[in-house]
Amino acid sequence: MRSVSIVGVGLTKFGEQWEKSFKELIAEAGIKAIQDSGLERKDVDAVYGGCMASGRFVGQEHIGALIADQLGLNPVPSTRVEAACASGGVALRMGYMAVASGIHDVVAVGGVEKMTEVSTEDAGFALGGAGDQETELFVGASFPALYALMARKHMKKFGTTEEQMASVAVKNHGNAVNNKYAQFHRAITIDNVMNSGYVSSPLKLLDCSPITDGAAAVLLMPTEQAKKINDKAVEIIASTQASDTLALADRENLYETKAAKIAGKQAYEQAGIKPTDVSFAEVHDCFTIAEIMAIESLGFCPLGEGGKFTEQGNTQLSGQIPINTSGGLKGKGHPVGATGVAQAIETYLQLNGEAGKRQVKDAEIGMTHNVGGSGATAVVHLYKKA
Amino acid sequence: MLEAQEQQQWFIYTKKLRGENMVQNSLPLHWRKYPERYRLEGNINEETGDAFFPARVVDPKQGRKGKLVPVEMPRTGKIISLTEVFVGPQGFEKETPYFLALIELENKVKILTQIVDSPKEKIKEGAKVKKVFRKISDIDEEGAIAYGYKFKVVN
Amino acid sequence: MTVGIVGYGAYVPKKRIKVEEIAKVWKKDGKKISAGIGVIEKALGSWDEDTATISVEIARKALEVAKINAKEIGALYVGSESHPYAVKPTSSIVAEAINTGTELMAADLEFACKAGTAGIQMVYAEVKAGMINYGLAIGADTAQGRPGDALEFTAGSGGAGFIVGNKKEEIIAEINETISFTTDTPDFWRRQHAEFPSHAGRFTGEPAYFKHVLNAAKNIMEKTKTKPSDFKYAVFHQPNGKFPKRAAKILGFTPEQIEQGLMTPYIGNTYSGATMVGLASVLDVAKAGDKILAVSYGSGSGSDAFILTVTENIKNKRAKIPLLKAIEDKEYVDYSEYIIHRKKIKTL
């Protein structure tokens, strides 16, 4: 098994991109990544594209073929990967496995989602497919409601407060101000969050990540070759994935994301490190409570203390373990299929010292945590400069 | 500006995206699930007694050991967690606000369901609930009505 | 063969709106109207209730009292003026929900407010003929009241159902006799695509309600050689709180005899459920040996009359909570909530 590195990255601005279509978004990200790496299109052997619900959002399937076509990469094999909101992270894992196994040498991994062609209600319905559509969406439970049920339990069991959850949103929006690709560039306050109106109690509008268009892409190569073509290679030192029940009702409990815990533990084992060795992490904050549960699952703080840990500033840029310096899904935006890949890009920029005002000091080991649905899929990667 | 024909096609296309012809309205799917949605019918492993709702094809713990037979779930349980939904998914816009809860039935099976017809202050963790037969959705005047299970708080 | 009721159930939705609240909207004297029609408040369902959901709750309760397995039911009829579908039976939805199995005769009935009692006659006949062992007849409605119309004050939601059987040890009330009085009378009707019914005003009194109820009552008493004083209870169709009192007086029944079965003042007129709900309330308290006269009325027009005798078995087979107590679990709404729930706003 070979070591694999990221050698180039590219992403579009995240946000409501009325002027750009689905094809234009992925083409832009893909070409930028290839250019960034210094490689040429003919060097790419295979493509993996993460996309959750293009069928429902833009009536388009067969995304693998679409991406290869748009980037002028035919006839290389091109495969769509779907794992709900973890589509991007799992696509990254598939690309990693293809290079690590020796089957392919240069793999382009992309993620894309265009969510604004349809109404907000239809988008909510499409996203509902990340859960158990027949028993959750059917009774009127879409994603905010599912995470709200988890939040409510976390609050009851551990005393997590709405203000603590709000502090996640405040931090992430604050980080996004310094990210030119982010959807939002306005800092918010705890009061803003507390007054933003309930979507599904206790989650309020500003506890929820937005509806976003965007695409992101990275190029993967064996580390040995990567170091020869440019000096920015970032090595993937662990790649893990775990699954849990599709329906929230079948989970062991509502306050932990078991799949994330398992994937996290396996990642630390694979890389031979501990949580305290991680310099920063991009985690899946589709809702503020999700970030709190993520940092607990990944071992950055004990179970139940994620709220307090965040409130005390430990996950700020200047804190003990900066979380979501990119702005996270909350501040940067959440074009579902692209998110997992965008997380890897932030990690790449941080480890190369190119994160500008978001730069983490002495960044050595980065982590990404990408979750699908209400926790049914979790995919974790660890990285360090090659 | 789109030509008249393109406008017509755009309307049909967005009609599909707006939910007509989508899975939610699939009549065969509804019909197939009457025993599940009308009577809370799931299945149970004859040997181990583990119950599943909805019914499963494969027992996740036992695999092929022990036979899975259909059985109606108990109709009472208690609330484990709840949320009040103010912004609902497509088809539920006019019902908000409504309560959703994860409940645990007498046989330990958990179900995600709406809590209806109950005073707000009684809808809380630990509250005892029982099943009622209600409309789940009736969004199309000319379409089929979807009936199913909801729960209400009992004293 | 003795044939009679072996189980019964009634269901009234939780929400209520007071007559005075409705009158306030139309700038009328609510107290005067309420006193005039003898109705205090009426019941309405949540938006997610309809005749099918109400019928299922009724069926479940009846099964609980009867203590039989739904698979033993051989016929199921649902009578209503507000079936959820114009074509697609409510009875089959109920059958599926209670799991009667496929060996079942079923149909939906319509005869204005006497659709439910017509169902009782049908299952009674089928049981008596030996075709089935048990039959379930339900009468339920989520009645439509045109905003601003007199009937808006009384059109309510709810219903009841009866399981009829032939095992002596199970019967709680023997059905001794049943007859009908039927004519063609244009007092109240609703065309297929009309949202609200139309009625002929004062014509709905003498030539309609009273002619049929009084004649049916007289005829059945004549046939069985009984008189008003033979009965412990009388239940008459109750479109408001006044008509049944007047009918009782004319026939020679006392106010005490009709009190237990008079539910309309508290829940409104439940149309196909009205007489049924009154009879269910009587069964909540009746004792062995009590004779009951029940006379329904359906516009169009007809009256079904029944004479029943309560048996010893009723001691152990009654509804868990008597209806008069069950309806105390209620929640008041104002007119704005009422029109949302009753979907009177066209775009809802």
PDB file of all heavy atoms in Angstrom, chain A residues 22-47:
ATOM      1  N   PHE A  22     -24.760  23.576 -12.621  1.00  0.00           N
ATOM      2  CA  PHE A  22     -24.111  22.407 -12.038  1.00  0.00           C
ATOM      3  C   PHE A  22     -22.813  22.090 -12.784  1.00  0.00           C
ATOM      4  O   PHE A  22     -21.746  21.942 -12.185  1.00  0.00           O
ATOM      5  CB  PHE A  22     -25.089  21.235 -12.140  1.00  0.00           C
ATOM      6  CG  PHE A  22     -24.602  19.966 -11.500  1.00  0.00           C
ATOM      7  CD1 PHE A  22     -24.935  19.661 -10.189  1.00  0.00           C
ATOM      8  CD2 PHE A  22     -23.837  19.050 -12.219  1.00  0.00           C
ATOM      9  CE1 PHE A  22     -24.511  18.482  -9.602  1.00  0.00           C
ATOM     10  CE2 PHE A  22     -23.406  17.883 -11.634  1.00  0.00           C
ATOM     11  CZ  PHE A  22     -23.743  17.595 -10.318  1.00  0.00           C
ATOM     12  N   LYS A  23     -22.887  22.013 -14.091  1.00  0.00           N
ATOM     13  CA  LYS A  23     -21.711  21.642 -14.887  1.00  0.00           C
ATOM     14  C   LYS A  23     -20.602  22.669 -14.719  1.00  0.00           C
ATOM     15  O   LYS A  23     -19.430  22.326 -14.589  1.00  0.00           O
ATOM     16  CB  LYS A  23     -22.088  21.533 -16.364  1.00  0.00           C
ATOM     17  CG  LYS A  23     -22.949  20.327 -16.694  1.00  0.00           C
ATOM     18  CD  LYS A  23     -23.386  20.352 -18.157  1.00  0.00           C
ATOM     19  CE  LYS A  23     -24.207  19.113 -18.500  1.00  0.00           C
ATOM     20  NZ  LYS A  23     -24.806  19.220 -19.839  1.00  0.00           N
ATOM     21  N   GLU A  24     -20.997  23.948 -14.725  1.00  0.00           N
ATOM     22  CA  GLU A  24     -19.985  25.001 -14.626  1.00  0.00           C
ATOM     23  C   GLU A  24     -19.259  24.952 -13.290  1.00  0.00           C
ATOM     24  O   GLU A  24     -18.061  25.179 -13.198  1.00  0.00           O
ATOM     25  CB  GLU A  24     -20.637  26.371 -14.830  1.00  0.00           C
ATOM     26  CG  GLU A  24     -20.924  26.634 -16.294  1.00  0.00           C
ATOM     27  CD  GLU A  24     -21.967  27.726 -16.511  1.00  0.00           C
ATOM     28  OE1 GLU A  24     -22.678  28.092 -15.554  1.00  0.00           O
ATOM     29  OE2 GLU A  24     -22.068  28.197 -17.646  1.00  0.00           O
ATOM     30  N   LEU A  25     -19.976  24.639 -12.233  1.00  0.00           N
ATOM     31  CA  LEU A  25     -19.366  24.596 -10.902  1.00  0.00           C
ATOM     32  C   LEU A  25     -18.292  23.522 -10.836  1.00  0.00           C
ATOM     33  O   LEU A  25     -17.156  23.773 -10.411  1.00  0.00           O
ATOM     34  CB  LEU A  25     -20.432  24.333  -9.839  1.00  0.00           C
ATOM     35  CG  LEU A  25     -21.391  25.488  -9.549  1.00  0.00           C
ATOM     36  CD1 LEU A  25     -22.571  25.010  -8.717  1.00  0.00           C
ATOM     37  CD2 LEU A  25     -20.677  26.635  -8.849  1.00  0.00           C
ATOM     38  N   ILE A  26     -18.625  22.299 -11.252  1.00  0.00           N
ATOM     39  CA  ILE A  26     -17.662  21.216 -11.108  1.00  0.00           C
ATOM     40  C   ILE A  26     -16.498  21.409 -12.079  1.00  0.00           C
ATOM     41  O   ILE A  26     -15.355  21.106 -11.767  1.00  0.00           O
ATOM     42  CB  ILE A  26     -18.332  19.818 -11.253  1.00  0.00           C
ATOM     43  CG1 ILE A  26     -17.341  18.704 -10.898  1.00  0.00           C
ATOM     44  CG2 ILE A  26     -18.910  19.600 -12.632  1.00  0.00           C
ATOM     45  CD1 ILE A  26     -16.800  18.767  -9.487  1.00  0.00           C
ATOM     46  N   ALA A  27     -16.783  21.962 -13.238  1.00  0.00           N
ATOM     47  CA  ALA A  27     -15.700  22.180 -14.197  1.00  0.00           C
ATOM     48  C   ALA A  27     -14.710  23.188 -13.625  1.00  0.00           C
ATOM     49  O   ALA A  27     -13.487  23.011 -13.713  1.00  0.00           O
ATOM     50  CB  ALA A  27     -16.275  22.677 -15.517  1.00  0.00           C
ATOM     51  N   GLU A  28     -15.228  24.263 -13.029  1.00  0.00           N
ATOM     52  CA  GLU A  28     -14.369  25.296 -12.451  1.00  0.00           C
ATOM     53  C   GLU A  28     -13.472  24.712 -11.375  1.00  0.00           C
ATOM     54  O   GLU A  28     -12.251  24.914 -11.386  1.00  0.00           O
ATOM     55  CB  GLU A  28     -15.242  26.406 -11.872  1.00  0.00           C
ATOM     56  CG  GLU A  28     -14.447  27.569 -11.308  1.00  0.00           C
ATOM     57  CD  GLU A  28     -15.353  28.593 -10.609  1.00  0.00           C
ATOM     58  OE1 GLU A  28     -16.492  28.792 -11.092  1.00  0.00           O
ATOM     59  OE2 GLU A  28     -14.921  29.159  -9.594  1.00  0.00           O
ATOM     60  N   ALA A  29     -14.076  23.958 -10.436  1.00  0.00           N
ATOM     61  CA  ALA A  29     -13.287  23.387  -9.338  1.00  0.00           C
ATOM     62  C   ALA A  29     -12.257  22.415  -9.867  1.00  0.00           C
ATOM     63  O   ALA A  29     -11.098  22.410  -9.441  1.00  0.00           O
ATOM     64  CB  ALA A  29     -14.221  22.708  -8.335  1.00  0.00           C
ATOM     65  N   GLY A  30     -12.669  21.561 -10.809  1.00  0.00           N
ATOM     66  CA  GLY A  30     -11.773  20.545 -11.341  1.00  0.00           C
ATOM     67  C   GLY A  30     -10.559  21.147 -12.035  1.00  0.00           C
ATOM     68  O   GLY A  30      -9.412  20.751 -11.783  1.00  0.00           O
ATOM     69  N   ILE A  31     -10.797  22.109 -12.902  1.00  0.00           N
ATOM     70  CA  ILE A  31      -9.705  22.728 -13.643  1.00  0.00           C
ATOM     71  C   ILE A  31      -8.756  23.463 -12.699  1.00  0.00           C
ATOM     72  O   ILE A  31      -7.539  23.363 -12.816  1.00  0.00           O
ATOM     73  CB  ILE A  31     -10.275  23.698 -14.707  1.00  0.00           C
ATOM     74  CG1 ILE A  31     -10.892  22.891 -15.845  1.00  0.00           C
ATOM     75  CG2 ILE A  31      -9.210  24.646 -15.224  1.00  0.00           C
ATOM     76  CD1 ILE A  31      -9.895  22.011 -16.572  1.00  0.00           C
ATOM     77  N   LYS A  32      -9.310  24.153 -11.720  1.00  0.00           N
ATOM     78  CA  LYS A  32      -8.474  24.864 -10.750  1.00  0.00           C
ATOM     79  C   LYS A  32      -7.555  23.886 -10.037  1.00  0.00           C
ATOM     80  O   LYS A  32      -6.375  24.173  -9.812  1.00  0.00           O
ATOM     81  CB  LYS A  32      -9.348  25.562  -9.710  1.00  0.00           C
ATOM     82  CG  LYS A  32      -9.822  26.946 -10.079  1.00  0.00           C
ATOM     83  CD  LYS A  32     -10.664  27.479  -8.912  1.00  0.00           C
ATOM     84  CE  LYS A  32     -11.072  28.921  -9.096  1.00  0.00           C
ATOM     85  NZ  LYS A  32     -12.024  29.344  -8.059  1.00  0.00           N
ATOM     86  N   ALA A  33      -8.099  22.722  -9.658  1.00  0.00           N
ATOM     87  CA  ALA A  33      -7.295  21.739  -8.920  1.00  0.00           C
ATOM     88  C   ALA A  33      -6.154  21.221  -9.786  1.00  0.00           C
ATOM     89  O   ALA A  33      -5.018  21.088  -9.332  1.00  0.00           O
ATOM     90  CB  ALA A  33      -8.187  20.594  -8.451  1.00  0.00           C
ATOM     91  N   ILE A  34      -6.462  20.925 -11.042  1.00  0.00           N
ATOM     92  CA  ILE A  34      -5.433  20.419 -11.938  1.00  0.00           C
ATOM     93  C   ILE A  34      -4.348  21.481 -12.133  1.00  0.00           C
ATOM     94  O   ILE A  34      -3.147  21.198 -12.040  1.00  0.00           O
ATOM     95  CB  ILE A  34      -6.046  19.977 -13.285  1.00  0.00           C
ATOM     96  CG1 ILE A  34      -6.988  18.790 -13.063  1.00  0.00           C
ATOM     97  CG2 ILE A  34      -4.950  19.609 -14.291  1.00  0.00           C
ATOM     98  CD1 ILE A  34      -7.736  18.343 -14.303  1.00  0.00           C
ATOM     99  N   GLN A  35      -4.777  22.722 -12.375  1.00  0.00           N
ATOM    100  CA  GLN A  35      -3.808  23.806 -12.560  1.00  0.00           C
ATOM    101  C   GLN A  35      -2.955  24.000 -11.322  1.00  0.00           C
ATOM    102  O   GLN A  35      -1.736  24.149 -11.405  1.00  0.00           O
ATOM    103  CB  GLN A  35      -4.545  25.110 -12.887  1.00  0.00           C
ATOM    104  CG  GLN A  35      -5.018  25.179 -14.315  1.00  0.00           C
ATOM    105  CD  GLN A  35      -5.902  26.398 -14.567  1.00  0.00           C
ATOM    106  OE1 GLN A  35      -6.386  27.047 -13.639  1.00  0.00           O
ATOM    107  NE2 GLN A  35      -6.095  26.717 -15.840  1.00  0.00           N
ATOM    108  N   ASP A  36      -3.626  23.954 -10.149  1.00  0.00           N
ATOM    109  CA  ASP A  36      -2.920  24.172  -8.887  1.00  0.00           C
ATOM    110  C   ASP A  36      -1.824  23.139  -8.678  1.00  0.00           C
ATOM    111  O   ASP A  36      -0.771  23.421  -8.112  1.00  0.00           O
ATOM    112  CB  ASP A  36      -3.933  24.128  -7.730  1.00  0.00           C
ATOM    113  CG  ASP A  36      -3.298  24.478  -6.399  1.00  0.00           C
ATOM    114  OD1 ASP A  36      -2.646  25.529  -6.321  1.00  0.00           O
ATOM    115  OD2 ASP A  36      -3.461  23.681  -5.452  1.00  0.00           O
ATOM    116  N   SER A  37      -2.071  21.929  -9.166  1.00  0.00           N
ATOM    117  CA  SER A  37      -1.104  20.856  -8.933  1.00  0.00           C
ATOM    118  C   SER A  37       0.101  20.962  -9.859  1.00  0.00           C
ATOM    119  O   SER A  37       1.154  20.401  -9.598  1.00  0.00           O
ATOM    120  CB  SER A  37      -1.775  19.502  -9.164  1.00  0.00           C
ATOM    121  OG  SER A  37      -2.075  19.371 -10.550  1.00  0.00           O
ATOM    122  N   GLY A  38      -0.055  21.660 -10.970  1.00  0.00           N
ATOM    123  CA  GLY A  38       1.033  21.726 -11.942  1.00  0.00           C
ATOM    124  C   GLY A  38       0.988  20.564 -12.920  1.00  0.00           C
ATOM    125  O   GLY A  38       1.810  20.466 -13.833  1.00  0.00           O
ATOM    126  N   LEU A  39       0.014  19.650 -12.714  1.00  0.00           N
ATOM    127  CA  LEU A  39      -0.106  18.521 -13.636  1.00  0.00           C
ATOM    128  C   LEU A  39      -0.936  18.958 -14.835  1.00  0.00           C
ATOM    129  O   LEU A  39      -1.445  20.074 -14.887  1.00  0.00           O
ATOM    130  CB  LEU A  39      -0.825  17.353 -12.933  1.00  0.00           C
ATOM    131  CG  LEU A  39      -0.076  16.693 -11.790  1.00  0.00           C
ATOM    132  CD1 LEU A  39      -1.022  15.815 -10.988  1.00  0.00           C
ATOM    133  CD2 LEU A  39       1.069  15.848 -12.345  1.00  0.00           C
ATOM    134  N   GLU A  40      -1.108  18.028 -15.785  1.00  0.00           N
ATOM    135  CA  GLU A  40      -1.970  18.326 -16.910  1.00  0.00           C
ATOM    136  C   GLU A  40      -3.134  17.341 -16.920  1.00  0.00           C
ATOM    137  O   GLU A  40      -3.085  16.299 -16.292  1.00  0.00           O
ATOM    138  CB  GLU A  40      -1.188  18.222 -18.211  1.00  0.00           C
ATOM    139  CG  GLU A  40      -0.202  19.362 -18.346  1.00  0.00           C
ATOM    140  CD  GLU A  40       0.594  19.235 -19.617  1.00  0.00           C
ATOM    141  OE1 GLU A  40       0.032  18.706 -20.600  1.00  0.00           O
ATOM    142  OE2 GLU A  40       1.759  19.639 -19.612  1.00  0.00           O
ATOM    143  N   ARG A  41      -4.154  17.703 -17.705  1.00  0.00           N
ATOM    144  CA  ARG A  41      -5.357  16.857 -17.729  1.00  0.00           C
ATOM    145  C   ARG A  41      -5.015  15.429 -18.139  1.00  0.00           C
ATOM    146  O   ARG A  41      -5.566  14.474 -17.606  1.00  0.00           O
ATOM    147  CB  ARG A  41      -6.403  17.439 -18.683  1.00  0.00           C
ATOM    148  CG  ARG A  41      -7.179  18.608 -18.073  1.00  0.00           C
ATOM    149  CD  ARG A  41      -8.263  19.132 -18.991  1.00  0.00           C
ATOM    150  NE  ARG A  41      -7.713  19.560 -20.251  1.00  0.00           N
ATOM    151  CZ  ARG A  41      -8.186  19.177 -21.439  1.00  0.00           C
ATOM    152  NH1 ARG A  41      -9.223  18.374 -21.523  1.00  0.00           N
ATOM    153  NH2 ARG A  41      -7.614  19.613 -22.542  1.00  0.00           N
ATOM    154  N   LYS A  42      -4.080  15.271 -19.026  1.00  0.00           N
ATOM    155  CA  LYS A  42      -3.791  13.917 -19.516  1.00  0.00           C
ATOM    156  C   LYS A  42      -3.129  13.043 -18.450  1.00  0.00           C
ATOM    157  O   LYS A  42      -3.031  11.838 -18.592  1.00  0.00           O
ATOM    158  CB  LYS A  42      -2.901  13.976 -20.765  1.00  0.00           C
ATOM    159  CG  LYS A  42      -1.539  14.619 -20.545  1.00  0.00           C
ATOM    160  CD  LYS A  42      -0.716  14.537 -21.831  1.00  0.00           C
ATOM    161  CE  LYS A  42       0.569  15.313 -21.741  1.00  0.00           C
ATOM    162  NZ  LYS A  42       1.423  14.967 -20.590  1.00  0.00           N
ATOM    163  N   ASP A  43      -2.686  13.688 -17.358  1.00  0.00           N
ATOM    164  CA  ASP A  43      -2.055  12.911 -16.291  1.00  0.00           C
ATOM    165  C   ASP A  43      -3.080  12.201 -15.419  1.00  0.00           C
ATOM    166  O   ASP A  43      -2.753  11.245 -14.721  1.00  0.00           O
ATOM    167  CB  ASP A  43      -1.208  13.820 -15.386  1.00  0.00           C
ATOM    168  CG  ASP A  43      -0.067  14.472 -16.163  1.00  0.00           C
ATOM    169  OD1 ASP A  43       0.524  13.784 -17.018  1.00  0.00           O
ATOM    170  OD2 ASP A  43       0.206  15.668 -15.908  1.00  0.00           O
ATOM    171  N   VAL A  44      -4.313  12.674 -15.440  1.00  0.00           N
ATOM    172  CA  VAL A  44      -5.333  12.104 -14.558  1.00  0.00           C
ATOM    173  C   VAL A  44      -5.781  10.737 -15.060  1.00  0.00           C
ATOM    174  O   VAL A  44      -6.139  10.579 -16.226  1.00  0.00           O
ATOM    175  CB  VAL A  44      -6.551  13.057 -14.467  1.00  0.00           C
ATOM    176  CG1 VAL A  44      -7.650  12.464 -13.591  1.00  0.00           C
ATOM    177  CG2 VAL A  44      -6.125  14.412 -13.921  1.00  0.00           C
ATOM    178  N   ASP A  45      -5.726   9.725 -14.147  1.00  0.00           N
ATOM    179  CA  ASP A  45      -6.104   8.357 -14.533  1.00  0.00           C
ATOM    180  C   ASP A  45      -7.546   8.010 -14.210  1.00  0.00           C
ATOM    181  O   ASP A  45      -8.100   7.081 -14.788  1.00  0.00           O
ATOM    182  CB  ASP A  45      -5.301   7.311 -13.739  1.00  0.00           C
ATOM    183  CG  ASP A  45      -3.840   7.437 -13.954  1.00  0.00           C
ATOM    184  OD1 ASP A  45      -3.444   7.691 -15.104  1.00  0.00           O
ATOM    185  OD2 ASP A  45      -3.110   7.280 -12.967  1.00  0.00           O
ATOM    186  N   ALA A  46      -8.108   8.654 -13.219  1.00  0.00           N
ATOM    187  CA  ALA A  46      -9.455   8.277 -12.792  1.00  0.00           C
ATOM    188  C   ALA A  46     -10.081   9.435 -12.034  1.00  0.00           C
ATOM    189  O   ALA A  46      -9.386  10.319 -11.520  1.00  0.00           O
ATOM    190  CB  ALA A  46      -9.409   7.042 -11.903  1.00  0.00           C
ATOM    191  N   VAL A  47     -11.394   9.406 -11.979  1.00  0.00           N
ATOM    192  CA  VAL A  47     -12.135  10.479 -11.306  1.00  0.00           C
ATOM    193  C   VAL A  47     -13.130   9.854 -10.329  1.00  0.00           C
ATOM    194  O   VAL A  47     -13.796   8.856 -10.655  1.00  0.00           O
ATOM    195  CB  VAL A  47     -12.923  11.331 -12.321  1.00  0.00           C
ATOM    196  CG1 VAL A  47     -13.742  12.403 -11.609  1.00  0.00           C
ATOM    197  CG2 VAL A  47     -11.977  11.941 -13.344  1.00  0.00           C
TER     198      VAL A  47
END
